[in-house]
Amino acid sequence: MAIQVLANLLIGLLWVFFQDDWSVLTFFSGYLFGLLVIFILRRFLPTKFYLFNLHAMIKLLFLFIVEIVVSSFVVIGIIIRPKMNIKPGIFSMETTLKGDIEVTLLALLITLTPGSVVVEISQDNKIFYIHTMDIPDLSNSVLQSKDRFENAIKKVTR
Amino acid sequence: MNAMTMIELGIAIIILIGTIVGFLSAIGFLRLPDVYNRAHALSKSATLGVLCVLVGTFLVFLFVEGYFSIKLFLGIFFVFLTSPVSSHVICRAAYRSHVSLAEISVRDDLKEAIIENNKETEDM
């Protein structure tokens, strides 16, 4: 999929060279032209045409934005509490996702959920070690939202 | 009150929210006990603050100046993309260089995993 996006960007850039007009609009029309080329050639490509996943991608992006806003307010709520009685710690979580892109996206999403940062991922990409600010509450919320994230990521990459 | 004033007022409120969030995350940076907890305050609240300020500036350019600023758009995109990565890398580097967790920490699964991993590599 990454190769298709890269090829599309290259076609857009070539279009700018051919037109000899360095503006965003020219690049955009070249990009659209590249989309057409890749769409015609989709039978010969090893993976699916990447725009077929656009809907899932937009949903994932929306999920990212919602998570960052919610998590910011949870963290601020903890910060401005007059007596800060938090129980931080590191817990482990297993994942069923495979491949570098899927694991990276899940790590990004978990880092954006309330009070959790991925500290380390095991050698075989199976176990995440996550630091949270408050073990009893927040580790449960991470484990609950894990399935939601995994499904959203699978829809984009598979 | 005409439409332009309303738009400017809305943008001012967005930028004000961004500033307040940034201020609160700075307070959190001072109050929290260790490097791992401070990474939480920086990775989320500070990101939201910077995002609000950038979105506000973007809207000023779009509505008041009538100009779609690609640079600000790229800035928003990259802040959004890089801030979780940087907080992850800082935490990982801290753990790898044996920065201990705060006294009040209750659990550490990673310690055992690293000890086991070292044993396995020694056996091989």
Side-chain angles (χ1 to χ4, degrees):
Chain A
M1 196 184 91
I3 289 289
Q4 288 183 31
V5 178
L6 214 60
N8 202 342
L9 284 174
L10 192 71
I11 294 171
L13 197 67
L14 272 178
W15 188 262
V16 174
F17 273 113
F18 290 147
Q19 300 281 329
D20 206 8
D21 177 19
W22 292 85
S23 70
V24 178
L25 208 65
T26 318
F27 180 77
F28 192 67
S29 62
Y31 194 85
L32 287 181
F33 183 72
L35 272 184
L36 184 71
V37 170
I38 291 175
F39 182 71
I40 292 169
L41 292 176
R42 70 189 183 283
R43 277 182 51 208
F44 306 101
L45 296 168
T47 49
K48 259 196 311 185
F49 180 53
Y50 76 94
L51 270 198
F52 286 160
N53 289 333
L54 191 70
H55 179 67
M57 273 184 216
I58 291 171
K59 253 173 115 177
L60 190 65
L61 190 72
F62 194 68
L63 195 63
F64 266 83
I65 293 171
V66 168
E67 283 301 326
I68 197 170
V69 172
V70 170
S71 74
S72 297
F73 284 109
V74 170
V75 171
I76 287 173
I78 292 175
I79 286 169
I80 58 177
R81 216 183 277 165
K83 197 169 182 301
M84 203 185 285
N85 48 351
I86 51 172
K87 295 192 184 73
I90 296 176
F91 72 100
S92 57
M93 187 193 81
E94 286 186 22
T95 175
T96 54
L97 294 175
K98 294 186 187 71
D100 286 344
I101 291 181
E102 294 183 2
V103 171
T104 312
L105 279 176
L106 185 62
L108 268 176
L109 267 177
I110 289 172
T111 307
L112 289 177
T113 48
S116 54
V117 170
V118 178
V119 178
E120 184 78 88
I121 298 169
S122 67
Q123 293 284 327
D124 52 359
N125 281 355
K126 288 236 171 75
I127 305 168
F128 283 65
Y129 297 97
I130 303 167
H131 184 274
T132 58
M133 292 176 90
D134 208 357
I135 278 271
D137 295 346
L138 294 177
S139 67
N140 279 338
S141 75
V142 169
L143 292 175
Q144 278 167 10
S145 47
K146 186 194 80 167
D147 292 332
R148 204 156 47 90
F149 294 160
E150 285 189 344
N151 287 334
I153 291 170
K154 274 177 193 166
K155 268 184 200 153
V156 172
T157 52
R158 290 184 189 170
Chain B
M1 194 187 270
N2 57 3
M4 209 59 203
T5 335
M6 288 287 281
I7 289 172
E8 280 178 6
L9 198 69
I11 291 168
I13 288 173
I14 290 176
I15 295 181
L16 186 69
I17 289 173
T19 325
I20 291 171
V21 169
F23 175 65
L24 286 176
S25 82
I27 292 178
F29 190 74
L30 291 175
R31 283 193 73 193
L32 289 167
D34 63 352
V35 62
Y36 306 100
N37 285 311
R38 285 174 174 177
H40 293 298
L42 279 193
S43 73
K44 282 154 216 133
S45 314
T47 313
L48 186 71
V50 172
L51 276 182
C52 280
V53 172
L54 282 178
V55 167
T57 323
F58 181 75
L59 291 177
V60 168
F61 275 116
L62 193 63
F63 286 116
V64 180
E65 312 268 321
Y67 159 71
F68 186 88
S69 172
I70 297 277
K71 276 180 207 159
L72 275 170
F73 198 72
L74 278 179
I76 293 169
F77 179 72
F78 280 113
V79 165
F80 203 56
L81 201 66
T82 52
S83 104
V85 177
S86 64
S87 74
H88 159 66
V89 171
I90 289 170
C91 277
R92 187 165 187 260
Y95 204 92
R96 288 269 154 153
S97 45
H98 308 290
V99 176
S100 55
L101 275 75
E103 299 270 303
I104 49 173
S105 302
V106 289
R107 197 170 155 188
D108 191 355
D109 285 356
L110 184 54
K111 205 174 181 178
E112 298 148 27
I114 283 184
I115 291 170
E116 269 175 38
N117 199 3
N118 286 347
K119 264 186 205 161
E120 277 173 23
T121 43
E122 275 169 22
D123 289 344
M124 285 197 297

